[in-house]
Structure formats: C-alpha cells, structure tokens
Amino acid sequence: MVDPQGKPYQVMVARTSMPKFSKEAVNSINRNQFKPAMRNAKPIDSRHYSDLKFVFDEADLHDSRGNKGSVGDARRFSLPDGYKSYYDQFTQALDQAKPDQRKLQQLLNTMSNIKHQSFYSLSYQSLARYRVAKKFDDKPGQMQALEDLIWFDEMVETKHQVLQKDLKRTVYIALLQLQIASGHYAEALDNYSEFKRSDRKIGKLFKDYIGKIILLKESDQSTQRVITIGDNSYSHLPLLKRSFVVETDKGKINTLKLRCDTKFKELAFKVNAQYTLPDSWGECDLQIIGEQGSVASILQQ
C-alpha cells in the first residue's frame, strides 16, 4: 500500500523465487518513495505492485572449475551444474507405470537446493512440479506450478524463454481451464485480461467463459473457496464480490487484511461475521493471517 504522501506501508510479499530474499525485498520497498494515486486532484491511499530482481555482479560468479570470469550470461540462461542429471532422473521416475511420489518429491527438493539457480532453471523446476501435480491429479498444485512457470519465464529474456510460441498458449489455456473449473474466478479474470493482450486466440477461446464469470460477479449468486495458510503464515486471494464470510475449517485464523485500490483495512477475525465492502474502495485482495496449515472457507455473495 502507498499513502497520500507516497510512503509505502503494509508491504506483503505475494510471490518469491527464494524465501531468503523476502526480508530484503520488504526492506527495499520500505526505503523507496512512490508517486501517490490521485482522485479529484487529491492524493489518496492506493495499492501498488512491484517486481524486484536481485542481480549479482558477474565478478562474484565462478564457473564449474572455480575460475572467476564473465559467466553471468551462462548462469542466467543455462541449467546449474548437476541440474540436468537430476532432471533426467526425475523424468525417468515420472514415466514409470506407478511413479513413486516420495522419490519424485525428493528429486524436486534436490533440484531446488542446487546452487546458482536462475529464473531459467526455476522455470524448468516449475514445469517439473506441474508434471507431478498433473500425474497425481493435484489441481491446486497444478495451478501454483503454472503460475510460477509463467512468472519465472517472463523474467527471462525473450529469446531464452522456456515458453515459446504454441507452448506458451498451451500453458495459458491449461491455467485458465484449471482456475475456472476450481472456482478461482477472480484470478481467471485477471489472467484472461493479461493473456489476451499477447495472444488473440486466448480472447476468442475463453470469451464465453469469462462472460459467465462477469455475470456471476454482478449477480446475487454466491461462490465458495477453500484456502490453506502457507509457511509464511498467511494466504491471499483477489475477491470477486463485495460481500464475504470467512469460516475456519481447521486450525486458527487471527486477522484479515483488505488491500483495495483505494483503501487498506485490518480486521480482527470473527467467526461467521459478514463483511461488506464499499464500491468506492475499488477491487480488493483479501489477506488471511493465521497458523500455518490452517484451512478456511471464503463464501462470497
């Protein structure tokens, strides 16, 4: 959030390539000054999104023999040492008639812990996670992996991207289909608006589905979502409607934070309390803070 003086507050990390960067990312944002949003020629509170890249000096990088030099390009657009070997093992394990899910997860963990990761290698890792999630019919896992894949790949220079031409469209289609089928309607609306700008066929393929979501958004019909609190002790989602109820299915929910186009609001969580948002706040995201592993249902109406 950015206040009328341009000062950031209530900074939240929405997505990260490595959790170890989160603290410095928040510190970096807090050190900055922003241009406040304006309404009727007056500065107002507003929400703002920033992408931060951590870039290391090429002189600090070493090649596989320990020699310093200009290996920055090679590091950014190639797989780390040993990565391909583990990826090949992963592919062989996944192609088994009855894949061992534990072994696959161990290989994924090993790949993620290899040094000198880049957005390029993280793209491949997200693709691997998607393949596992699809194999075992894990819909939330598939969506998360595809979202990460798209995000990481966009950080790579175009000519080096993993998602080229038809493959990018295939990933866009798969993600939108999953989000629509799983009731992640607000995310589907956001992604549809983004994807169709770069691929006209996406606009034509999903026009009718998106039209139904827009009608749902404007109707009195309710929708329900289930979320799980992650390792960072919060989860967040864009809201589709102006009124919602949060119910605890498992664990403990402590606080709700609303991050809207023109308003920030922190609420103490109350069981079965109904919250209604003024239209003047604009579109809103809901941040749910609680114990790790807690499960909550969000009923929007």
Side-chain angles (χ1 to χ4, degrees):
M1 303 298 299
V2 176
D3 71 13
Q5 289 72 47
K7 183 178 178 180
Y9 68 100
Q10 285 292 332
V11 181
M12 181 191 75
V13 176
R15 187 189 302 275
T16 179
S17 60
M18 293 185 182
K20 67 177 72 175
F21 293 155
S22 295
K23 183 178 179 180
E24 182 53 38
V26 171
N27 291 339
S28 177
I29 292 293
N30 280 325
R31 289 194 294 265
N32 277 280
Q33 188 77 9
F34 295 84
K35 185 178 181 180
M38 306 292 288
R39 173 178 284 180
N40 298 324
K42 293 183 179 180
I44 59 172
D45 282 283
S46 61
R47 61 176 175 174
H48 177 79
Y49 296 91
S50 288
D51 276 330
L52 297 183
K53 291 183 182 181
F54 290 86
V55 180
F56 297 93
D57 193 313
E58 289 184 8
D60 293 332
L61 297 176
H62 298 68
D63 64 19
S64 59
R65 297 180 181 179
N67 300 315
K68 281 194 174 186
S70 298
V71 296
D73 259 6
R75 288 297 188 194
R76 288 198 298 273
F77 308 125
S78 62
L79 299 176
D81 294 338
Y83 194 97
K84 188 176 186 306
S85 174
Y86 286 114
Y87 198 94
D88 290 343
Q89 292 179 49
F90 163 83
T91 299
Q92 292 173 7
L94 187 64
D95 289 342
Q96 297 295 315
K98 294 183 178 180
D100 184 335
Q101 195 167 2
R102 181 178 296 181
K103 181 178 180 180
L104 289 169
Q105 189 58 53
Q106 288 175 344
L107 287 167
L108 285 173
N109 291 339
T110 299
M111 285 189 285
S112 68
N113 290 325
I114 292 177
K115 292 182 179 180
H116 306 304
Q117 294 281 356
S118 65
F119 286 120
Y120 182 79
S121 61
L122 288 170
S123 297
Y124 270 99
Q125 189 174 312
S126 300
L127 186 57
R129 285 172 34 226
Y130 169 72
R131 292 172 64 191
V132 172
K134 186 175 182 181
K135 190 77 171 183
F136 295 97
D137 198 30
D138 173 10
K139 297 293 194 302
Q142 291 179 57
M143 284 186 285
Q144 186 63 60
L146 289 177
E147 288 171 2
D148 288 346
L149 171 58
I150 292 168
W151 185 63
F152 292 144
D153 203 50
E154 286 176 348
M155 297 293 182
V156 179
E157 290 184 13
T158 303
K159 65 180 180 180
H160 294 289
Q161 287 179 340
V162 175
L163 301 180
Q164 296 286 343
K165 298 181 180 178
D166 292 343
L167 180 56
K168 179 176 286 191
R169 179 181 299 152
T170 299
V171 168
Y172 285 174
I173 290 172
L175 179 56
L176 285 171
Q177 287 176 333
L178 283 164
Q179 289 177 329
I180 292 170
S182 301
H184 292 209
Y185 299 129
E187 290 93 333
L189 282 176
D190 289 343
N191 282 327
Y192 174 77
S193 297
E194 183 69 27
F195 296 166
K196 73 176 184 179
R197 280 198 286 268
S198 61
D199 191 328
R200 293 182 180 178
K201 287 189 177 181
I202 294 294
K204 294 179 181 179
L205 285 171
F206 287 92
K207 182 179 179 180
D208 291 342
Y209 293 104
I210 297 301
K212 291 177 181 178
I213 293 175
I214 292 172
L215 289 175
L216 174 63
K217 181 178 182 178
E218 297 170 350
S219 74
D220 295 329
Q221 184 179 344
S222 62
T223 66
Q224 188 166 1
R225 284 275 301 274
V226 176
I227 62 96
T228 301
I229 302 297
D231 294 339
N232 50 14
S233 298
Y234 64 78
S235 183
H236 73 284
L237 71 156
L239 292 172
L240 183 70
K241 292 175 171 285
R242 310 305 300 176
S243 181
F244 65 92
V245 175
V246 179
E247 299 177 350
T248 306
D249 299 332
K250 174 187 173 184
K252 183 180 180 181
I253 303 299
N254 299 320
T255 311
L256 306 177
K257 293 183 179 181
L258 288 161
R259 299 169 178 275
C260 305
D261 289 339
T262 62
K263 182 74 174 180
F264 172 83
K265 187 73 172 179
E266 183 170 345
L267 306 165
F269 172 68
K270 296 180 181 179
V271 178
N272 296 326
Q274 182 167 340
Y275 306 93
T276 301
L277 312 179
D279 290 338
S280 61
W281 290 10
E283 298 296 323
C284 298
D285 286 354
L286 175 63
Q287 183 183 2
I288 304 171
I289 298 97
E291 294 178 348
Q292 294 180 15
S294 297
V295 180
S297 298
I298 299 93
L299 179 67
Q300 300 183 61
Q301 50 199 1

